[in-house]
C-alpha cells in the first residue's frame, strides 16, 4: 500500500503542477493557480501520516517505509525548484514571459550553480535522513530497522556525490572555448 501511495503522490504532484499552471496561465487565474500549487505539500503530509499509521499498526519497517521517507525528503528539497522550473517554461511558452534562464556553462558562475544544486540535493537527502531516523526511533528496539538504515546510507551517498560534483567544478572549472575554437 505504501508504494502505491508513493506512486499516487508522484502522479498527483504532476497533476497539481499542471492544473496550477493551467489555471495561472491558461485560465488567467493566477491566485487560483497559486492556491492549487500550494496544495502540493498536503500530498507529503498524507504520505507521512499513512506511513506512521502503518508502522504504528505493527507493520515491519522495510524498504517501502524508507522509500516514503526518501520521497518526502526529495519533494521537500527539490519540489520548489521543480515548480519554478516548470513555471518559467510555461510562462515563456504560453504567457509571453522571458525565456528561461539557462545555467552558466563556464567558470565561477558554473561552480556557484553546482553548489546551489548540491545544496538542494543535500537538503532533500538530509530531510530524508531525518525522517528515516525518526522512523527508527518510532519503531524502537522492537523491529528490524536494517532497511531504514540502508536508506540512510544511500542518502549519505547522495550527499557525498553531490558535494564531490560541486567541488570538482570549483577545483577544475570549465573554461570557455578560446577564439577560433
Amino acid at each position: 500500500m505504501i508504494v502505491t501511495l508513493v506512486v499516487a503522490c508522484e502522479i498527483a504532484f504532476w497533476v497539481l503542477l499542471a492544473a496550477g499552471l493551467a489555471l495561472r496561465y491558461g485560465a488567467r487565474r493566477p491566485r487560483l493557480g497559486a492556491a492549487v500549487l500550494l496544495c502540493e505539500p498536503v500530498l507529503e503530509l498524507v504520505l507521512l501520516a499513512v506511513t506512521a499509521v502503518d508502522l504504528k499498526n505493527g507493520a515491519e519497517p522495510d524498504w517501502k517505509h524508507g522509500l516514503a521517507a526518501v520521497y518526502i525528503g526529495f519533494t521537500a528539497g527539490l519540489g520548489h525548484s521543480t515548480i519554478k522550473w516548470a513555471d518559467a517554461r510555461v510562462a515563456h511558452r504560453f504567457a509571453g514571459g522571458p525565456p528561461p534562464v539557462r545555467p552558466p556553462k563556464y567558470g565561477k558562475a558554473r561552480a556557484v550553480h553546482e553548489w546551489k544544486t548540491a545544496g538542494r540535493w543535500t537538503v532533500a537527502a538530509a530531510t530524508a535522513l531525518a525522517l528515516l531516523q525518526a522512523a527508527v526511533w518510532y519503531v524502537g528496539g522492537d523491529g528490524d530497522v536494517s532497511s531504514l538504515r540502508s536508506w540512510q546510507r544511500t542518502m549519505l551517498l547522495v550527499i557525498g556525490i553531490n558535494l564531490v560534483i560541486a567541488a570538482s567544478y570549483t577545483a577544475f572549472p570549465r573554461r570557455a572555448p578560446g577564439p577560433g575554437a
Side-chain angles (χ1 to χ4, degrees):
M1 176 175 105
I2 299 294
V3 174
T4 304
L5 189 56
V6 169
V7 171
C9 284
E10 180 66 12
I11 292 168
F13 174 87
W14 290 102
V15 168
L16 284 174
L17 179 58
L21 294 175
L23 286 168
R24 179 179 278 182
Y25 297 110
R28 303 214 189 282
R29 304 284 310 265
R31 285 187 180 177
L32 185 56
V36 169
L37 292 174
L38 286 173
C39 291
E40 299 271 1
V42 174
L43 300 170
E44 284 67 44
L45 292 176
V46 168
L47 180 59
L48 180 63
V50 169
T51 303
V53 167
D54 191 43
L55 289 171
K56 180 147 180 76
N57 289 339
E60 195 64 32
D62 62 9
W63 68 271
K64 295 174 238 163
H65 299 97
L67 177 65
V70 168
Y71 176 79
I72 293 168
F74 278 58
T75 302
L78 302 169
H80 181 69
S81 61
T82 302
I83 291 170
K84 282 179 60 176
W85 174 86
D87 185 57
R89 277 141 186 83
V90 171
H92 174 64
R93 177 81 167 100
F94 298 107
V101 177
R102 293 183 181 262
K105 291 183 179 183
Y106 308 108
K108 183 179 178 182
R110 180 59 186 222
V112 168
H113 169 77
E114 292 299 330
W115 280 108
K116 287 179 182 179
T117 300
R120 285 191 292 274
W121 280 91
T122 300
V123 166
T127 303
L129 277 166
L131 289 171
L132 289 162
Q133 187 59 46
V136 167
W137 290 333
Y138 189 65
V139 170
D142 298 339
D144 177 24
V145 294
S146 61
S147 64
L148 301 177
R149 294 286 186 205
S150 176
W151 277 109
Q152 286 181 315
R153 286 188 295 276
T154 302
M155 293 302 96
L156 290 172
L157 185 62
V158 166
I159 291 170
I161 289 169
N162 278 281
L163 294 178
V164 166
I165 290 170
S168 72
Y169 276 92
T170 301
F172 310 105
R174 291 181 62 190
R175 298 189 198 288

